[in-house]
Amino acid sequence: MLVLIGVLLVVIGFALRLNPLVVVTVAGIITGFLGKLSPVEILNAFGNGFATSRSVTLFILVLPVIGLIERFGLQEQGRRLISRLAALTTGRLLLLYQLIRQVSSALGLATINGPAALVRPLIYPMAEGAAERRFGRALPEAMREKVKAYSASADTVGQFFGEDIFVAIGSILLITGFVDTTYHLKLDALNVALWAIPTAICAYAIHGTRLFLLDRRLDRMAKEAGLITRPPEPEAQEAGR
Amino acid sequence: MIKVEWFYWLCGAIFIAVAALTFADATNARRHGSGAFWGLLGGAFIYSTFVVHKTAPAWVLGLAVIVMALLVATGQLGRGETPGPTRAEQEGGADRFGNRLFVPALTIPVVVIIFAVGLAKIHVGDEPLLEKSSETLIGLGVASILAVVIAFVMLRPKSPLAPLQEGRRLLEAIGWAAVLPQMLATLGQLFVAAGVGDQVGRITKNVLPDNSLIGSVLVYCVGMALFTIIMGNAFGAFPIMTAAIGYPVLVQHFGGNAAAVFAIGMLAGFCGTLCTPMAANFNIVPAALLEMKDKYGPIKAQIPTAIPLLACNVALMYFLAF
């Protein structure tokens, strides 16, 4: 039972917001001692663990090219693509964004979007703008908070349940790396990734439904706040361009 | 045949090049500590080859890894003031290149799939062209090189070092977190070696209804979610729950499809990530970025999705993996 202290240490360390890398290292050393390993055995375990789990870090090979195309306007172009969707309601906009996020993560583009690069500068302003178009500019704080929360959630859910379909993502590599070294199996990363597809579809169905219902929820909140709901704007004439 | 070790060496070379650029970066107040960190990491990647082949002692590498953690713990890691792309640069680039900017990025998944699905079957003489069970990783390595070449020809950056400089910018932004998944995998192996998985397994067996497949699937999936909520990270929960029940009970005893069990198990853990403030970068950081009054707003929006999705994962594993 004593070895479970290592797990407890990780929990406490994360709860105290200590640096995760340091927490993990210290918990590893202490767990080793509690498991009656000698200092050399512990160092060997760290060395072997590092050497056999290198595949998890191989993703850094894509950073130079991502950085380069970012410099030449990748995010700006992403913004331009998305801003053509400005005529949607809050819920439908977020529904569409989650789809884009999920599909692009599945294609291995999980790290180039995210809350800092897209949600704050673009998605939230557009979602809020859509709500203002419908309910007027005097949007109550509670409704703004709701739109913010759902903008963040569309991004997070989209990323989580999209990225596991991409073969070279950390979690897939961790699964194959850990299982292959520990149990001497030969798992194929692509096969593991394909099994993430059913869950991805469920995630889109569940969270998508909730995003779809967000418009009605905002309607209700607006009614309670005494705001008059305006009829939805007619579809943009130039939508086909 | 093409070996995955070549790409680990490429990775190590990139880290060492980043270390060199860092040592020379006068805008980084902590350039010695940072340079040492990236340099050690690069050296560790190359030295690992000999550890895997058992031609060099592993403890040397273990020591290097702990020194890296010490550098982080004592705050020696910092970033230089490498300027990110300016608004003008980004707008100019988007005007000039438009959707072609997506070509290098999309090259990567396409090439990976070609390698994993197509080239994996090709043999040269008696040997397979790609090292067995590393086809995807080799594909990723080749795809990265190809994407850089395409981007270079298309964008014609002024300096030949531009990809390396831009890579360093992103790597410094990620910082020590770049090695965290690897350290968590190492911790998982240490946990297993010290018997943590066995202990959790013994505890869960007392809770578990005898020989019930649905009960075992439920304990694995819910356990993944709960451990992830506590640890803030599904990567940390995975080795523990897999050693406790995922491998011995679900794969060995019930004969489940290993790839399906582990893939869906990890996604059950992700349902936990949606619910926990411990996963700060996914749940607290967006709230901060959006300047929300309620720090837990995103979590509150995600919990009603996480619970039914966890139920879906249990059902998917039960029906698809056995």
Side-chain angles (χ1 to χ4, degrees), chain A residues 1 3-4 6-7 10-11 14-15 19-22 24-25 27-29 31 35 37 43-58 60-81 107 109 115-116 120 124 141 145 148-150 152-153 156-157 159-161 163-164 166-168 170-171 173-175 178-179 181-183 185-187 189-192 195-196 198-199 202-203 206-207 210, chain B residues 5 8 10-11 14 41 44-45 48-49 51-52 58-59 61-63 65-66 69 72-73 83-85 87 89-91 93-95 97-99 101-102 104-105 109 112 117 133 136-137 140-141 144 147-148 155 163 166-167 169-171 176 178 181-187 189-191 194 196 199 227 230-231 235 238-239 242-243 247 257 259-260 262-263 266-267 270 273-274 278 282 289-294 297 301-302 304-305 309 313 316 320:
Chain A
M1 289 303 271
V3 288
L4 291 182
V7 179
V10 174
V11 174
F14 276 89
N19 182 303
L21 186 69
V22 179
V24 167
T25 311
I29 294 171
T31 304
L37 301 179
L43 285 178
N44 276 330
F46 268 98
N48 285 319
F50 182 93
T52 53
S53 60
R54 274 174 301 163
S55 60
V56 186
T57 312
L58 210 62
I60 74 112
L61 288 178
V62 308
L63 293 184
V65 67
I66 297 292
L68 191 63
I69 48 183
E70 245 185 54
R71 172 78 63 189
F72 283 86
L74 177 70
Q75 282 166 7
E76 177 62 29
Q77 187 59 24
R79 280 187 192 110
R80 289 179 186 186
L81 270 185
L107 295 174
L109 304 173
R120 181 183 163 121
Y124 170 65
E141 184 71 41
E145 285 268 304
K148 284 179 182 176
Y150 276 84
S153 72
T156 305
V157 175
Q159 182 195 337
F160 277 15
F161 298 98
E163 67 172 17
D164 253 32
F166 182 58
V167 282
S171 48
L173 301 176
L174 178 79
I175 292 173
F178 172 75
V179 171
T181 46
T182 314
Y183 304 117
L185 297 177
K186 286 268 177 226
L187 279 189
L190 193 67
N191 195 6
V192 177
W195 284 108
T199 305
C202 292
I206 294 171
H207 202 67
R210 297 189 53 235
Chain B
E5 287 292 342
Y8 291 138
L10 179 62
C11 228
I14 291 179
L41 184 57
F45 255 73
S48 288
T49 304
V51 172
V52 170
W59 64 265
L61 183 58
L63 203 62
V65 170
I66 287 170
V72 173
R87 188 123 198 105
E89 276 176 322
Q90 296 205 35
E91 282 175 357
D95 285 342
F97 299 107
N99 287 335
L101 284 167
F102 294 109
V112 169
V117 178
S133 81
T136 314
L137 294 169
L140 179 70
S144 310
V148 168
L155 305 171
E166 299 296 335
R169 175 170 64 81
L170 296 187
L171 203 54
W176 51 263
Q182 207 175 341
M183 285 299 277
L184 281 164
T186 305
L187 179 69
Q189 291 180 28
L190 259 164
F191 276 175
V196 173
Q199 286 291 350
F227 257 99
I230 294 170
M231 298 176 78
F235 292 9
F238 182 79
T242 298
Y247 184 71
N257 173 340
F262 299 139
M266 182 65 95
L267 291 163
F270 283 12
T273 321
L274 293 178
M278 304 285 284
F282 294 114
L289 274 169
L290 292 171
E291 298 171 56
M292 292 183 65
K293 294 248 154 46
D294 183 4
Q302 283 157 196
T305 294
L309 193 53
N313 279 320
L316 288 171
L320 297 181

